[in-house]
């Protein structure tokens, strides 16, 4: 009798623990480009390091990476990576400067298209966006599992257009493999939203950011872009990050280590509101609330911080309590013990 009571107490403690812990999210990286990419992952300050922080992803393959509840950070694709004479890994775009396959906490060199996440943020919701604030190197699409088809309510976010094809000459870099942001290219406060322009009232869209926005309306084009460029889902979802979702830009490719699986088959995802400017993949070629609520945080400075990768001013509300998939099993065990008693 005493043993059974003790077991019941332990089970109750386990149930409470699982109810209080948020479920880990799974990021599935998919490469639909014609060439190999080398994804990089950087955690924001205060967030745990993910494993791995960089890997090779050949065309037509995918790889899953786990992220704990409350994680925030960014992911991107490095292109044209190779080892130099000293064995150091160097990439044409998105290089993180680590000299190895792993990025080890280092950020992407500009220009790079960034997928940014804050899991279980304000109100326990997930916030995510695709940012062109640091420039562009290839198309990225972020899709939440079971997402709705709203404008900014748990929907697909990203840029599926080939900005390298329409990049102004003064922003073009790496032989056309990347398109710099105006801030990166010119360093002027009006382009960087710094100094007297460090607020949404004075830092307005420029001809360059409008070019990015017209091509990729579901992406951040500059630090104080429209708040609808940030998307939100109720926490606890998994996400698919697809490189070259509807197009296959030409890029340098070479082999490398890393475990991968075949990429999912089926219809290629399309980005609501976007008009792809590149041919579809065909095995080659050139080229704020729960679900249903929009992101209205009431603080544009946090939106700008998310776009620039600084989560220090993000809402610090604790994650919402979500049940673990093991909780029903534990509850069943408890009920069984109570029947025995």
């Amino acid at each position: 009798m005493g043993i059974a009571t003790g077991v019941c107490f332990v089970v109750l403690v386990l149930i409470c623990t699982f109810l209080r812990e948020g479920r880990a999210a799974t990021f599935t990286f998919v490469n639909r480009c014609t060439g190999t990419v080398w994804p990089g992952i950087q955690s924001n300050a205060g967030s745990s390091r993910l494993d791995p922080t960089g890997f090779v992803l050949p065309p037509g393959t995918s790889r899953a990476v786990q992220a704990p509840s409350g994680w925030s950070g960014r992911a991107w694709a490095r292109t044209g990576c190779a080892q130099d004479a000293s064995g150091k890994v160097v990439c044409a775009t998105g290089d993180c400067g680590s000299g190895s396959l792993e990025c080890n906490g280092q950020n992407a060199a500009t220009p790079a298209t960034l997928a940014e996440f804050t899991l279980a943020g304000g109100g326990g919701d997930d916030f995510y966006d695709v940012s062109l604030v640091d420039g562009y190197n290839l198309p990225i699409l972020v899709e939440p599992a079971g997402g709705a088809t709203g404008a900014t309510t748990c929907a697909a976010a990203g840029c599926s257009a080939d900005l390298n094809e329409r990049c102004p000459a003064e922003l073009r870099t790496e032989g056309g493999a990347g398109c710099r942001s105006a801030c990166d290219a010119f360093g002027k406060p009006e382009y960087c939203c710094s100094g007297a322009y460090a607020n949404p009232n004075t830092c307005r869209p420029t001809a360059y950011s409008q070019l990015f926005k017209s091509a990729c309306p579901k992406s951040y084009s500059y630090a104080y872009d429209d708040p609808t460029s940030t998307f939100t889902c109720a926490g606890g979802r998994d996400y698919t990050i697809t490189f070259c979702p509807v197009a296959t830009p030409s890029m340098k490719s070479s082999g490398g280590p890393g475990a991968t699986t075949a990429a999912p088959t089926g219809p290629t995802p399309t980005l609501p509101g976007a008009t792809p400017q590149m041919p579809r993949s065909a095995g080659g070629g050139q080229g704020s609330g729960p679900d249903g609520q929009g992101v209205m945080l009431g603080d544009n400075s946090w939106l700008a911080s998310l776009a620039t990768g600084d989560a220090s001013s993000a809402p610090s509300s604790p994650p919402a309590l979500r049940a673990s998939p093991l909780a029903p099993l534990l509850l069943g065990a408890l009920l069984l013990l109570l029947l025995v008693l």
Side-chain angles (χ1 to χ4, degrees):
M1 185 75 170
I3 295 177
T5 303
V7 171
C8 289
F9 176 77
V10 171
V11 172
L12 278 173
V13 171
L14 290 174
I15 289 175
C16 292
T17 300
F18 279 113
L19 285 172
R20 289 180 180 276
E21 290 183 354
R23 187 181 76 84
T26 299
F27 294 125
T28 300
F29 293 84
V30 179
N31 181 11
R32 296 192 184 276
C33 303
T34 55
T36 297
V37 298
W38 290 258
I41 302 172
Q42 182 194 39
S43 299
N44 286 345
S47 285
S48 59
R49 166 184 166 141
L50 301 191
D51 183 25
T53 60
F55 54 94
V56 64
L57 195 63
T61 63
S62 64
R63 180 167 179 171
V65 176
Q66 300 294 317
S69 177
W71 182 83
S72 65
R74 51 177 54 181
W76 67 96
R78 294 170 286 175
T79 66
C81 298
Q83 287 185 320
D84 61 17
S86 65
K88 180 180 178 181
V89 175
V90 179
C91 303
T93 68
D95 190 87
C96 54
S98 66
S100 66
L101 196 61
E102 298 259 0
C103 283
N104 298 321
Q106 298 192 52
N107 195 11
T110 59
T113 316
L114 304 175
E116 302 176 314
F117 296 88
T118 294
L119 304 179
D125 292 333
D126 294 345
F127 300 91
Y128 58 98
D129 70 80
V130 170
S131 173
L132 305 177
V133 174
D134 287 344
Y136 168 100
N137 64 337
L138 53 70
I140 294 182
L141 181 69
V142 173
E143 293 180 291
T149 56
T152 60
T153 58
C154 203
C159 177
S160 57
D162 183 8
L163 284 180
N164 290 332
E165 288 291 328
R166 63 180 71 183
C167 184
E170 59 270 29
L171 302 184
R172 192 174 297 123
T173 186
E174 300 300 334
C179 188
R180 302 170 70 183
S181 68
C183 173
D184 185 35
F186 309 123
K188 294 184 177 181
E190 58 266 38
Y191 294 133
C192 299
C193 294
S194 60
Y197 296 88
N199 68 77
N201 295 322
T202 57
C203 194
R204 309 302 301 169
T206 66
Y208 294 109
S209 67
Q210 288 176 332
L211 183 151
F212 281 17
K213 193 69 173 180
S214 64
C216 302
K218 303 299 182 182
S219 299
Y220 257 95
S221 62
Y222 76 109
Y224 292 105
D225 202 351
D226 188 334
T228 60
S229 298
T230 297
F231 294 71
T232 183
C233 285
R237 292 179 184 267
D238 297 330
Y239 294 88
T240 299
I241 302 169
T242 304
F243 303 115
C244 308
V246 298
T248 55
S250 176
M251 63 184 66
K252 298 177 182 179
S253 174
S254 64
T260 56
T261 58
T265 58
T268 301
T270 56
L271 184 63
T275 304
Q277 300 297 317
M278 298 168 61
R280 291 184 176 274
S281 304
Q286 294 290 324
S288 64
D291 294 349
Q293 300 297 320
V295 182
M296 295 301 292
L297 301 180
D299 182 1
N300 283 337
S301 65
W302 184 81
L303 291 173
S305 297
L306 180 62
T308 56
D310 177 12
S312 60
S313 58
S316 57
S317 303
L321 302 184
R322 295 192 295 278
S324 164
L326 293 180
L329 297 178
L330 294 173
L331 183 59
L334 176 61
L335 293 175
L336 181 60
L337 287 172
L338 291 176
L339 289 176
V340 172
L341 293 175

